[in-house]
Amino acid sequence: MSFKSIVRELKEMRDGLGSMSRRSNSTMDSRAGPSRSGARLHWQPLLQHRHQGRWASLPPELLLDVIQRVEASEVSWPARRNVVACASVCRSWREIVKEIVLTPEQCGRITFPISLKQPGPRDSPIQCFIRRERATSTYRLYLGLSPALQEENDKLLLAARRVRRATCTEFVISLSPDDFSRASSTYIGKLRSNFLGTKFTIYDSQPPPDTPVVSSSRSSRRIHSKQVSPRVPAGNYNVATITYELNVLRTRGPRRMQCIMHSIPFSVIQEGGTAPTPTAFINSIDEHFSSLSVSKGKDSIIEFSSTSLTETPTPVRISGEPLILKNKSPRWHEQLQCWCLNFRGRVTVASVKNFQLVAAVDPSHDISPVEQEKVILQFGKIGKDIFTMDYRYPLSAFQAFAICLSSFDTKPACE
C-alpha cells in the first residue's frame, strides 16, 4: 500500500465517511509478523472511532428532530436520563443536546451536573428534600416533592459529609455519595464554620463566570509534567458568607441569619438583571495537560503557583454591591403559642432549623414590594432526619444546599 493510500484511509475513518477497502485489509494482512501486529495495534482506536462515526453521520435535521422530541417528552427523572444518554453518544450529538437543553432558569428542569451550579427558575421554585444520616454524618440532596417509598427511585443531586476539626467544622460537598476527596473530579465545593459556629463560608471549586479573582502574592515555580500528580486539588473560591446573630439574652424565637453572596450582584433582582451562569465545569488538571505539546523527547514544563496546591481561599470580586439575603421574620401565633411562617404545606414539623430567606433591600433601591417578599430559599423539617429545600433564582442548587447545611451545625450561642 502506498503512503497516499494510507493517508486517504486515515482521513476517511477520522471523519466517519468511509471504511477500509478489502484490498487494503488483504495488503495489511500479507505483511510479516512484527509489522502485522503493529498495524493492528495502530488501527484499533481508529476502528472504534469509525464505529462511533456511524452515529455521527446522521443528517443534522433528523438528529435535531429526534433529540428535540426526546427532550420534550422526558421532562422528569428518571425518564430524563434518556436526554443525558443522547449527549453521551458522540461529540456531534453532545453539541446538539447542549444547544437544545435550556438552563434551570429558563426551563425549570435539572438535566446535567452543571445545572446544579446554575440559577434556578424565576417563576416557581425547584423542590427538593434532604436526608440526614446521623451514623455517617452525611447529608444527601434529592430532587422531588417528597421522599419516595423506595430510595433507589429518588434522583440524587448532591451529597455532603460533615468533618469536625479542632477549630472549625467543614461540610465537603460532592456529586458522589461515596467520594468526598478534594482531589476527586466529583468535588464541587465545601462549607466551613468558625469556632463558635456563628459564621460560615461557602467555597466553590471553580470561580464564578465573568468574575475577576483576586490574585495571590505567593510565589510560583516551574515543574516538569512528570512531577505533577494526576489529581490536583480544586480551588477554594469564597462565594458566600453566612452569619448567625448571637442570642446573648437567650430570648425565645428562631435564629436570625444573613447571607452575603459575594458572587451574585444585587442587580440580579432588579428589572433586566441576570445572574452569573456557568456553562461547564472547569477541570484545571485536564486543561493543563491538554495544552501540553511534547516534542523531541523533551519533558514539558508547567508553571504552578503555591496557592494552587494548597487550601488557601481565594476571594471573589464582583462589580457593584453583592446580594444580601436575610431570614424572613416569623409572626407569633397566639393560639398555637409559637412562631409561625407560611411554608405553603412544605414544612410540617416545628424546628429551630426552619427558615425562609428573602432579599435584604435598602429603601433607596427601586424594588417592588412583591419582589421584596419573594422567598428565594426555604428550608424546613417534615420528619425524622428528613427536610425540604425549595430554591429559586438567583440561587443555584449548590449554593442553596450549602446554606441549608449551615443550619445543621450546632450553634449554642445563637439559640
Side-chain angles (χ1 to χ4, degrees), residues 267-279:
S267 59
V268 299
I269 62 173
Q270 295 177 334
E271 186 176 359
T274 57
T277 305
T279 57

Side-chain angles (χ1 to χ4, degrees), residues 31-213:
R31 295 188 179 273
S35 301
R36 178 177 178 179
S37 60
R40 287 183 177 178
L41 292 176
H42 178 73
W43 288 105
Q44 186 175 2
L46 295 178
L47 293 175
Q48 295 176 356
H49 185 85
R50 182 183 63 175
H51 180 71
Q52 185 184 28
R54 296 174 181 175
W55 295 98
S57 61
L58 289 178
E61 296 80 5
L62 176 61
L63 181 58
L64 180 64
D65 182 68
V66 170
I67 297 180
Q68 283 180 341
R69 290 174 181 268
V70 174
E71 202 278 335
S73 60
E74 314 294 0
V75 296
S76 60
W77 290 90
R80 195 155 180 81
R81 69 180 62 175
N82 296 329
V83 180
V84 181
C86 290
S88 305
V89 174
C90 60
R91 180 173 297 179
S92 60
W93 284 53
R94 182 164 55 252
E95 294 300 327
I96 293 181
V97 171
K98 288 169 62 177
E99 294 179 2
I100 295 176
V101 176
L102 303 177
T103 64
E105 178 185 353
Q106 298 169 322
C107 66
R109 294 189 292 267
I110 294 177
T111 306
F112 300 109
I114 192 60
S115 303
L116 302 174
K117 288 197 174 184
Q118 295 174 341
R122 294 175 181 260
D123 299 330
S124 59
I126 293 181
Q127 297 177 324
C128 314
F129 65 92
I130 299 174
R131 290 181 183 270
R132 175 176 59 181
E133 297 182 3
R134 298 177 182 266
T136 57
S137 298
T138 57
Y139 306 82
R140 299 185 179 185
L141 176 66
Y142 295 91
L143 179 66
L145 297 176
S146 60
L149 296 178
Q150 297 180 352
E151 188 174 349
E152 59 270 14
N153 293 331
D154 299 332
K155 173 56 184 175
L156 177 67
L157 299 180
L158 294 170
R161 173 170 292 175
R162 181 171 62 182
V163 181
R164 294 188 180 274
R165 306 189 185 277
T167 59
C168 66
T169 301
E170 287 188 351
F171 292 84
V172 182
I173 305 176
S174 172
L175 294 171
S176 171
D178 303 317
D179 189 359
F180 296 96
S181 172
R182 289 190 66 253
S184 172
S185 60
T186 60
Y187 170 82
I188 63 171
K190 68 179 181 180
L191 175 73
R192 175 182 290 178
S193 72
N194 62 355
F195 180 74
L196 295 177
T198 58
K199 184 178 180 180
F200 294 80
T201 305
I202 302 177
Y203 295 101
D204 200 335
S205 60
Q206 64 183 39
D210 303 328
T211 302
V213 178

